[in-house]
Amino acid sequence: MFDMDGTILDSEDFITWTFLEASRIVGVEVDEDAIRRNIGRPLEEFSSLVFGGLGREKHLELMRVRAKLVEENWRRMIRVFDDVPEVLGLLRSKGFRLAVASSSKLERIVEYLGYFNILGLFDTVSGVVDGVRGKPYPDVILRALSTMGVGADEAVYVGDREVDCLAARSAGVVFVLVNRNNYRYDPGVCRPDYALESLRPLPDLLLYINKK
């Protein structure tokens, strides 16, 4: 199972830009580091952590502006990481079942992966819907496992953030960190079982894990 933003899609600079630009437009000060640290959380929780002191009307205005920026720009500013199609194809050829489990809303995951022509490489996608919380809660991972009929002890979750690790721990699955873009991952928050700098070594790592 894979996280989406920062793992499958090179989208974190774009996400950061949308919040910075929306804040600039509506006249709100925001800490860029706080934005980057909290990427990967559900939007409502992210907003509370980053914009917690903002009044309701100003917050709604900011989110409306940000939603417009996202819709107008994501197709040109987000890309698939170069190693993703190759690695996903190789994993499928070796018989692995694949899923995405993300804190994004389910319809957004489907839209993004469909646009980049990789949706069909996954057996299931799991995102935030009514009754399914985003990370660090384990809900999206547990939903993917349930949909595929796979036990936690048969699964691995691949992500790039501490919230991914925390969700994997709560779900009882092995966590593989893919530390792209020199993100300052804090192992004191949650120590990964394995760490990679790209997805290319992942097929061999999974074969090794399967033999253990």
Side-chain angles (χ1 to χ4, degrees):
M1 295 178 289
F2 296 86
D3 168 51
M4 183 173 73
D5 292 306
T7 301
I8 296 295
L9 300 183
D10 187 0
S11 54
E12 293 184 353
D13 284 346
F14 170 70
I15 293 169
T16 302
W17 173 81
T18 62
F19 283 108
L20 290 173
E21 183 66 6
S23 298
R24 184 191 66 79
I25 290 170
V26 303
V28 171
E29 291 188 6
V30 63
D31 181 355
E32 180 175 345
D33 286 341
I35 295 173
R36 291 189 179 275
R37 280 197 309 272
N38 288 289
I39 289 174
R41 295 181 182 273
L43 184 58
E44 293 79 6
E45 183 178 347
F46 174 96
S47 296
S48 176
L49 291 167
V50 178
F51 300 105
L54 208 57
R56 182 175 182 275
E57 291 303 316
K58 181 61 75 171
H59 180 261
L60 289 174
E61 179 187 5
L62 186 149
M63 297 310 289
R64 283 194 296 268
V65 171
R66 193 254 171 181
K68 187 172 185 290
L69 290 170
V70 170
E71 186 55 36
E72 291 176 349
N73 294 283
W74 72 264
R75 293 169 184 83
R76 68 180 182 86
M77 293 181 71
I78 294 176
R79 69 179 186 93
V80 178
F81 281 111
D82 293 341
D83 54 5
V84 167
E86 171 194 347
V87 171
L88 295 183
L90 181 58
L91 290 174
R92 287 195 68 87
S93 74
K94 292 182 178 295
F96 287 98
R97 301 179 67 188
L98 307 179
V100 167
S102 166
S103 289
S104 295
K105 292 183 178 180
L106 180 60
E107 60 267 25
R108 180 65 74 180
I109 301 170
V110 171
E111 181 180 21
Y112 282 13
L113 299 183
Y115 177 80
F116 291 111
N117 296 313
I118 57 173
L119 181 62
L121 293 172
F122 297 100
D123 296 284
T124 192
V125 294
S126 176
V128 173
V129 295
D130 288 343
V132 178
R133 299 167 298 180
K135 297 166 290 187
Y137 301 103
D139 301 23
V140 292
I141 295 177
L142 295 174
R143 183 175 179 272
L145 291 174
S146 176
T147 300
M148 292 191 295
V150 172
D153 60 344
E154 303 173 278
V156 169
Y157 187 60
V158 183
D160 68 311
R161 296 277 174 157
E162 293 88 348
V163 291
D164 300 325
C165 182
L166 291 168
R169 286 282 175 269
S170 295
V173 304
V174 169
F175 177 65
V176 177
L177 170 68
V178 55
N179 198 355
R180 301 187 186 273
N181 297 330
N182 298 313
Y183 172 68
R184 297 190 302 274
Y185 186 93
D186 183 358
V189 174
C190 185
R191 185 171 295 278
D193 296 291
Y194 303 93
L196 306 173
E197 293 183 356
S198 80
L199 292 183
R200 288 194 170 87
L202 183 62
D204 287 339
L205 174 61
L206 293 179
L207 292 175
Y208 167 76
I209 293 172
N210 274 348
K211 292 177 182 178
K212 290 184 67 176

